[in-house]
Amino acid sequence: MTAFTVLIPARHASTRLPGKMLAEVGGVPLIVRTAQQALRSGAAQVVVATDHADIEQVVRDAGLPVLRTREDHPSGTDRLAEAADLLGLPDEALIVNVQGDEPLLPPVLIQQVARALADTPEAAIATLCHPIHSATDFFNPNVVKVSFDQRGRALTFSRAPLPYARDAFAQQRDALPEGLPAYRHIGIYGYRAHFLRAYRQLQACPLEQFEALEQLRALWHGYVIQVAIAADAPPAGVDTAEDLERVRQWLTSQPVPDNMPG
């Protein structure tokens, strides 16, 4: 498989759970647990990119690579671009963005998104999705939907029910019609380094602003996003104190791998 780099942006200032990157899970800080999990993907390197001295220190103490980035980035994508520059990655380098609050992200999904990008030279971005089977999820605006063409190229992303089965939903909306190609977007991305460098110059578009979906900016400006289908959704990340406790309980119930990196 083509070599790829995992970059993990880690801000200290979280709106819903401040300081969560330093919260202990399974005996180590959350950000360290996430990086250790990402190392199991077979990435050529896993690097944390952070704006905070405390996060930088705990990652270094764990023996893992970390970069100190600026504090004024408007998005995680901008932080990734700075990190790619600091690492001196060439334009065609493959980068997988793993969020720092996803310590349970299956390594196979990291591998899958990297492979989708490597296998699609015309794509600047790759991402994942999985089938939606529940009408509740389908009509939930917090569940982002994606539609793609026969080659797996993204057509659009939306919080609205997509695609909308006009005739079937005119009759009832408590179940999805058989065969409806409804897919939930999984928020993991692979990028070519040249896109991250170009992204900083791309103007926001109306679709992105109304939907509150950053990836629509790339489609608006003509970039190809390759979408691969995963069998299942990954475990949720840590956004709240309840999420943090859920992850702690899950890790407590699992055997510790003998080959856990770190």
Side-chain angles (χ1 to χ4, degrees):
M1 181 177 175
T2 304
F4 64 95
T5 292
V6 170
L7 291 180
I8 306 177
R11 284 193 323 128
H12 186 264
S14 169
T15 303
R16 300 176 67 182
L17 189 60
K20 66 180 178 181
M21 294 298 172
L22 300 173
E24 185 177 293
V25 291
V28 298
L30 175 66
I31 183 60
V32 172
R33 175 67 63 175
T34 299
Q36 290 173 336
Q37 180 78 340
L39 278 168
R40 298 171 62 197
S41 69
Q45 57 181 340
V46 174
V47 183
V48 174
T50 184
D51 61 354
H52 199 274
D54 290 347
I55 296 175
E56 180 183 17
Q57 189 60 54
V58 299
V59 175
R60 288 197 190 283
D61 289 346
L64 299 169
V66 60
L67 295 171
R68 186 72 175 272
T69 55
R70 290 168 21 204
E71 297 181 9
D72 59 347
H73 286 303
S75 73
T77 309
D78 294 281
R79 194 174 309 283
L80 292 179
E82 183 188 359
D85 288 343
L86 290 172
L87 290 170
L89 296 178
D91 279 350
E92 288 304 313
L94 307 184
I95 298 166
V96 177
N97 175 18
V98 171
Q99 297 304 313
D101 59 6
E102 295 195 82
L104 305 183
L105 182 68
V108 67
L109 296 186
I110 300 175
Q111 296 167 355
Q112 186 176 12
V113 77
R115 188 178 304 111
L117 188 57
D119 291 346
T120 315
E122 63 271 32
I125 307 170
T127 192
L128 302 180
C129 69
H130 72 93
I132 297 175
H133 302 293
S134 161
T136 300
D137 287 344
F138 184 71
F139 288 103
N140 183 351
N142 294 317
V143 174
V144 178
K145 274 70 70 175
V146 58
S147 287
F148 44 88
D149 68 16
Q150 61 183 340
R151 299 171 298 171
R153 276 54 163 179
L155 297 171
T156 195
F157 298 81
S158 182
R159 298 182 183 278
L162 181 76
Y164 194 83
R166 184 195 63 178
D167 295 340
F169 291 144
Q171 301 299 317
Q172 58 89 24
R173 289 168 42 129
D174 58 359
L176 301 183
E178 185 176 353
L180 183 72
Y183 294 92
R184 178 176 188 162
H185 178 227
I186 299 173
I188 180 173
Y189 294 96
Y191 300 102
R192 296 188 191 278
H194 68 74
F195 171 81
L196 291 175
R197 294 177 175 125
Y199 178 85
R200 292 174 286 194
Q201 309 303 320
L202 299 180
Q203 291 186 344
C205 69
L207 285 177
E208 169 194 0
Q209 293 170 328
F210 280 101
E211 290 264 17
L213 296 174
E214 190 178 304
Q215 64 269 37
L216 289 170
R217 186 185 310 185
L219 289 181
W220 178 272
H221 287 280
Y223 288 94
V224 173
I225 301 178
Q226 183 68 21
V227 182
I229 301 173
D232 298 298
V238 176
D239 289 322
T240 66
E242 291 75 17
D243 292 336
L244 187 60
E245 186 57 32
R246 170 183 50 79
V247 170
R248 286 169 172 163
Q249 291 178 358
W250 189 92
L251 288 171
T252 299
S253 69
Q254 301 300 307
V256 178
D258 293 334
N259 61 342
M260 174 63 79

